[in-house]
């Protein structure tokens, strides 16, 4: 079983829609969790860390469910500029980071 | 925020050339640096993890004699692709982490390597 699993999509949504991605992880001892965004032909950029209590940054909300071992990212009021691949990353032991395969999002005018 | 600089951003070389890529953490000390490769429309693939002052740990299937990694300081790691061939053409990305607590990785801009 993969350390981190993500639905690759693609997700095609209209502007203004709300879209949610989930990511599951296999190691219950995982310590920290992140969402990155990667644009085509660019490097991944940190979007937000995911905290146990859930956290929000503008239109983006991240949540962690330790019992079910998944993290989620919710994007409200989608913009065209949100089109990208979203990567979930789980840090298990010290410097071991595990990446999901990424979920592709296209926001359509 | 944490800044990681990678150089060069794009390189085109003849087959058989060795290419060195630098990764620098500009405003923090990177205990650990990671090297990834990404082919078009594919996921990031971790090649190796390097801790400052130690030998790099390579992922299965990655030739350590082909991809030489040096991490001599807390702010600089280099990846040398030795005797590069067209099949080595790819997008190479480094990232750096302080290794402290729950800190994320921060990525360099990536290097697009094309071998003719």
């Amino acid at each position: 079983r993969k350390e981190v699993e993500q639905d690759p999509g693609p997700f095609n949504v209209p502007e203004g829609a709300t879209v949610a991605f989930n990511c599951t992880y296999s190691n219950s001892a995982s310590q920290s969790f992140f969402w990155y965004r990667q644009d085509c032909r660019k490097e991944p950029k940190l979007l937000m860390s995911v905290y146990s209590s859930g956290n929000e940054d503008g239109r983006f909300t991240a949540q962690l469910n330790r019992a079910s071992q998944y993290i989620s990212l919710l994007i409200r009021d989608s913009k065209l500029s949100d089109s990208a691949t979203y990567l979930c990353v789980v840090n298990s032991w010290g410097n071991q980071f595990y990446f999901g395969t990424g979920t592709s999002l296209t926001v359509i005018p | 925020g944490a800044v990681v600089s990678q150089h060069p951003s794009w390189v085109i070389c003849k087959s058989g050339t060795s290419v060195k890529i630098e990764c620098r953490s500009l405003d923090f000390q990177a205990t650990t640096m990671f090297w990834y490769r990404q082919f078009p429309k594919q996921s990031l693939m971790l090649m190796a993890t390097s801790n400052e002052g130690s030998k790099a740990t390579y992922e299965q299937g990655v030739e350590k004699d082909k991809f030489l990694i040096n991490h001599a300081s807390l702010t600089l790691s280099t990846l040398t692709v030795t005797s590069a061939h067209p099949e080595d053409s790819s997008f190479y990305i480094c990232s750096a982490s302080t290794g402290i607590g729950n800190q994320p990785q921060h990525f360099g801009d990536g290097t697009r390597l094309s071998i003719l």
Side-chain angles (χ1 to χ4, degrees), chain A residues 74-93:
Chain A
L74 181 80
I75 306 175
R76 290 182 299 278
D77 188 24
S78 299
K79 311 288 184 193
L80 296 177
S81 56
D82 293 334
S83 298
T85 296
Y86 291 83
L87 302 163
C88 71
V89 180
V90 175
N91 175 223
S92 293
W93 297 103

Side-chain angles (χ1 to χ4, degrees), chain A residues 8 10-11 22 32 37-38 40 42-43 48 53 56 58 72 74 81 86-87 89 92-93 98 102 105:
Chain A
F11 285 68
N22 280 343
S32 49
R37 168 200 171 123
Q38 185 176 24
C40 187
K42 297 281 191 179
E43 79 282 10
M48 55 200 305
S53 55
E56 188 174 304
S72 64
L74 181 80
S81 56
Y86 291 83
L87 302 163
V89 180
S92 293
W93 297 103
Y98 297 96
L105 170 67

Side-chain angles (χ1 to χ4, degrees), chain A residues 62-79:
Chain A
Q63 291 195 312
L64 167 64
N65 185 318
R66 284 194 182 272
S68 301
Q69 294 182 205
Y70 76 83
I71 63 173
S72 64
L73 177 68
L74 181 80
I75 306 175
R76 290 182 299 278
D77 188 24
S78 299
K79 311 288 184 193

Side-chain angles (χ1 to χ4, degrees), chain B residues 6-49:
Chain B
Q6 192 172 337
H7 177 81
S9 56
W10 203 324
V11 59
I12 302 173
C13 291
K14 291 182 180 179
S15 187
T17 307
S18 291
V19 180
K20 180 187 276 190
I21 303 170
E22 291 187 350
C23 181
R24 293 180 185 273
S25 58
L26 298 185
D27 55 357
F28 67 100
Q29 293 188 325
T31 305
T32 305
M33 287 188 170
F34 306 86
W35 287 96
Y36 296 85
R37 181 165 56 180
Q38 187 174 35
F39 293 105
K41 297 190 179 181
Q42 292 189 23
S43 306
L44 285 171
M45 188 194 82
L46 179 64
M47 299 175 68
T49 303

Side-chain angles (χ1 to χ4, degrees), chain A residues 31-32 34 36 38 41-46 49 87 89 91 94-97 99-102, chain B residues 10 32 34 36 38 43-44 51 91 93 97 99 101-110 112:
Chain A
Q31 301 290 314
S32 49
F34 311 95
Y36 284 77
Q38 185 176 24
R41 300 169 71 86
K42 297 281 191 179
E43 79 282 10
K45 291 188 186 294
L46 180 66
S49 301
L87 302 163
V89 180
N91 175 223
N95 279 317
Q96 289 189 357
F97 291 84
F99 283 71
T101 52
Chain B
W10 203 324
T32 305
F34 306 86
Y36 296 85
Q38 187 174 35
S43 306
L44 285 171
N51 291 302
F91 188 44
I93 315 173
S97 170
N102 297 332
Q103 296 301 305
Q105 295 182 40
H106 299 280
F107 286 84
D109 295 340
R112 202 159 300 281

